[in-house]
């Protein structure tokens, strides 16, 4: 059901759109503006400083490894929790560079935009109970050959795909075979030698959402329908063998939430007449519906669905538009992380929904699991572009949301490969 304008007006009375949401807007047909608009969503998050203001270089145990130890690491424990660990020193260079990766996007190419420090590349994620193998593009392509993998979400899902394309291009160059007409929000790449297909399916809320228009101008506030899936991705499900699904950053703004025609409340509105909602309430509803849609999909195969958990931002000394930056050059230790921040609320509701969906999915041959990156990425304030993204769009604004390529975001694909490997070996056993 499309909201009638009467309904929109009605809920608008109950959560007034904050004026500052109109302050900055980029043209909506260009990709960089998507990421610029995304920065807007951090207005609120930035207020709550998620990092300790006084930072001391972690005196945690720094381990150095020689190159020959890095070759064929295999997790010694198949059940080991990949989400708990720390970043340790690593001498090896990243698998790709801004020369070798032809698909590396302009605004994640931090070195092109003047980033000088390189130390942030020399850390690897070490789970407490095992080793995480170095990304091996050949192993990855062998597991996924003949299959189709869809990445569903916002510009951070795209960041994940961009990292994967760069890593895999060391083995086979991806070919772009489809680009939707909405400014590159839907793109398909194919690896002909492995007949592997990657799709990126843009959906910043996963559910049906309409931008609120007040007096003829867009407001950057959205009306979310927790009972109505965003068909733009859901209709593609029958084509997928793997769905990597994520969302989060667009919920950090004044959004209106309703379900079944009933108005539930507003995110971040202090209007006394409206129920105040925090982003995790909406995120929980959205993931519940998204995973249910996958479970209920009649035409879908035995899909593996992985929820990539919330990816934290790291603005310090101010909000994104108030001079906030992220110019650290090394990781934090687990002891330095604030585990009470909003990113943990988001991640926790995501885990709960995956667990429920997994129980329901077992009978239907659907498997649900997580790529739980929230902890690892909380420790990487040094991994964002900061001011090194795009001089035209940046205009002195720091991007502390997305991640440099190469950089710590490549670890998401090491976790993805290890997760695929575990599920593939379970399939062999069954
Ligand atoms: C790659 O990064 C270097 C700096 O490390 C920069 O000088 C160069 O222009 C970049 N090349 C490309 C193709 O982005
Ligand atoms: C490639 O994979 C698709 C499924 O993704 C399949 O339909 C097709 O037959 C495969 N083509 C070849 C040449 O194996
Ligand atoms: C819409 O425009 C009218 C007339 O210009 C004005 O009176 C009203 O306050 C505006 N409403 C909002 C919500 O800005
Ligand atoms: C809240 O609702 C009451 C009664 O409808 C109304 O008088 C009041 O102006 C509203 N307050 C706000 C802040 O909208
Ligand atoms: C699902 O399968 C049915 C019958 O095979 C077909 O009619 C329908 O179009 C399919 N739906 C989608 C979304 O592919
Ligand atoms: C990092 O940014 C802060 C402002 O947030 C600034 O005071 C500081 O000088 C910067 N450090 C470096 C090394 O650029």
């Amino acid at each position: 059901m499309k909201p009638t304008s009467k309904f929109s007006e009605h809920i608008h009375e109950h959560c007034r759109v904050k004026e500052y949401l109109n302050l900055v807007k980029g043209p909506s047909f260009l990709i960089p503006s998507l990421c610029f608009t995304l920065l807007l969503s951090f207005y609120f998050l930035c207020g709550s400083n998620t990092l300790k203001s006084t930072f001391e270089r972690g005196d945690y145990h720094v381990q150095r490894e020689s190159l020959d130890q890095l070759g064929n690491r295999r997790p010694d424990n198949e059940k080991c929790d990949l989400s708990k660990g720390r970043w340790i020193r690593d001498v090896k260079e990243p698998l790709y560079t801004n020369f070798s990766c032809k698909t590396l996007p302009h605004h994640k190419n931090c070195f092109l935009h003047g980033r000088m420090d390189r130390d942030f590349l020399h850390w690897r994620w070490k789970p407490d109970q095992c080793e995480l193998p170095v990304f091996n593009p050949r192993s990855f392509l062998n597991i996924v050959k003949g299959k189709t993998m869809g990445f569903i979400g916002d510009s951070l899902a795209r960041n994940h795909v961009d990292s994967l394309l760069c890593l895999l291009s060391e083995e086979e160059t991806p070919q772009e075979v489809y680009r939707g007409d909405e400014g590159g929000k839907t793109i398909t790449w194919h690896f002909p030698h492995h007949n592997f297909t990657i799709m990126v399916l843009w959906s910043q809320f996963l559910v049906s959402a309409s931008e609120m228009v007040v007096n003829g101008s867009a407001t950057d506030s959205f009306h979310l329908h927790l009972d109505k899936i965003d068909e733009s991705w859901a209709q593609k499900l029958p084509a997928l063998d793997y769905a990597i699904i994520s969302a989060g950053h667009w919920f950090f703004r004044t959004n209106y939430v309703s379900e079944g025609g009933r108005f539930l409340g507003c995110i971040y509105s202090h209007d006394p007449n409206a129920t105040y909602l925090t982003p995790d309430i909406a995120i929980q509803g959205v993931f519940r519906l998204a995973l249910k849609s996958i479970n209920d999909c009649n035409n879908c195969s035995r899909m593996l669905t992985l929820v990539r958990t919330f990816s934290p931002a790291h603005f310090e000394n101010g909000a994104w538009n108030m001079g906030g930056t992220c110019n650290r050059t090394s990781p934090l230790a687990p002891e330095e992380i604030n585990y009470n921040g909003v990113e943990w609320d988001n991640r926790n509701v995501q885990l709960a929904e995956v667990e429920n969906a997994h129980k329901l999915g077992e009978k239907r041959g659907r498997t649900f699991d997580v790529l739980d990156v929230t902890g690892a990425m909380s420790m990487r304030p040094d991994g964002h572009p900061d001011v090194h993204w795009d001089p035209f769009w940046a205009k002195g604004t720091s991007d502390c949301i997305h991640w440099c390529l190469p950089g710590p975001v490549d670890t998401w694909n090491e976790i993805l490969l290890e997760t695929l490997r575990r599920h593939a070996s379970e399939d062999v056993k069954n």
Side-chain angles (χ1 to χ4, degrees), residues 13 16 271-273:
E13 274 167 33
R16 282 161 305 163
D271 189 324
N273 287 349

Side-chain angles (χ1 to χ4, degrees), residues 220-232:
D220 266 322
S221 275
F222 290 79
H223 182 192
L224 314 183
H225 303 270
L226 296 189
D227 55 331
K228 197 159 168 280
I229 202 71
D230 177 357
E231 286 296 340
S232 72

